Amino acid sequence: MKVKQSILSWQGQILKQTASMHVKWMMVLLMLSFSGFAQKKSIGRLLKNYNTQSVPYISVEELKMKQDEYLILDSRKAEEFEVSHLPNAIRVDDRLDETTLERIRKSNKKIVVYCSVGVRSEDFGEKMIKKTGQPVFNLYGGIFAWKDAGFLILDNEGQPTERVHTFSKNWQDYLSTGIAVY
């Protein structure tokens, strides 16, 4: 009788441990599925899919450290630039006009172009290289990566802001910090 009771006790303990383990795994899976909804999309994956790296990247950290060495060109639309932009950035039309070209030619600085994440700025950078023959760098991750790194962005009045124009509602998932505006 004692053997039968100990076997039953042993089986009961195994069932309790198994049930407890199943509950833990279910909780882990549930937490992982919900955390997936809160995660931001990867700029790196986006750039890998859309860019050819025809315009070499510069990191936000490198640009921040050597900001005075670069002519910073914002290739976004006017309404995006007005919400926020990098300090000392010059908004350029996606078509290179002669005034912009002349300003670039007269500058002794290296050229960096940026947009929201780096896709449109690569296209603009390609045009710049063809028209000027000068080396051009594309800011990896654009203004989103700049803001996410904790660096200052300015509004149209030159005042610090947390607002970032995200181009559209879909693109706001690539911005981790700041206030998305579209």
Side-chain angles (χ1 to χ4, degrees):
M1 192 71 159
K2 276 187 168 182
V3 172
K4 193 173 183 182
Q5 282 180 336
S6 71
I7 291 174
L8 287 174
S9 172
W10 178 72
Q11 287 175 336
Q13 287 177 354
I14 290 175
L15 286 173
K16 284 181 184 176
Q17 287 177 346
T18 304
S20 174
M21 193 167 50
H22 283 295
V23 168
K24 286 179 185 175
W25 276 109
M26 287 174 54
M27 293 298 290
V28 167
L29 291 173
L30 187 62
M31 287 171 53
L32 286 174
S33 66
F34 281 119
S35 70
F37 289 111
Q39 289 178 347
K40 294 294 182 177
K41 294 180 182 177
S42 166
I43 290 176
R45 249 181 277 140
L46 177 79
L47 295 176
K48 190 173 182 178
N49 288 336
Y50 288 98
N51 283 4
T52 63
Q53 294 188 26
S54 57
V55 179
Y57 291 122
I58 182 173
S59 70
V60 294
E61 294 82 7
E62 185 176 350
L63 179 60
K64 177 67 174 164
M65 288 187 303
K66 301 177 181 177
Q67 207 168 348
D68 294 338
E69 296 176 20
Y70 290 92
L71 183 64
I72 303 170
L73 305 178
D74 186 321
S75 62
R76 299 174 304 149
K77 295 180 178 179
E79 56 268 19
E80 294 172 271
F81 183 86
E82 290 168 4
V83 170
S84 61
H85 53 271
L86 274 60
N88 301 315
I90 301 165
R91 197 192 87 69
V92 292
D93 200 312
D94 62 348
R95 295 174 310 276
L96 279 168
D97 60 31
E98 281 305 314
T99 306
T100 303
L101 282 171
E102 191 59 32
R103 187 172 190 177
I104 292 165
R105 287 185 189 116
K106 286 181 178 179
S107 174
N108 292 330
K109 294 183 175 188
K110 299 175 213 171
I111 302 166
V112 171
V113 294
Y114 78 92
C115 62
S116 298
V117 296
V119 175
R120 290 178 288 169
S121 52
E122 182 178 73
D123 295 340
F124 184 80
E126 289 171 353
K127 291 177 193 176
M128 292 265 317
I129 292 168
K130 284 179 186 173
K131 291 249 185 186
T132 67
Q134 293 179 273
V136 176
F137 296 92
N138 186 9
L139 184 61
Y140 187 89
I143 194 170
F144 289 13
W146 183 270
K147 179 64 182 146
D148 289 344
F151 300 143
L152 177 73
I153 56 174
L154 304 173
D155 65 16
N156 207 33
E157 303 296 318
Q159 298 301 310
T161 185
E162 292 297 312
R163 297 168 35 123
V164 180
H165 198 295
T166 59
F167 184 66
S168 73
K169 185 175 183 176
N170 294 336
W171 287 86
Q172 75 181 356
D173 291 339
Y174 293 99
L175 179 68
S176 296
T177 60
I179 300 167
V181 177
Y182 47 90

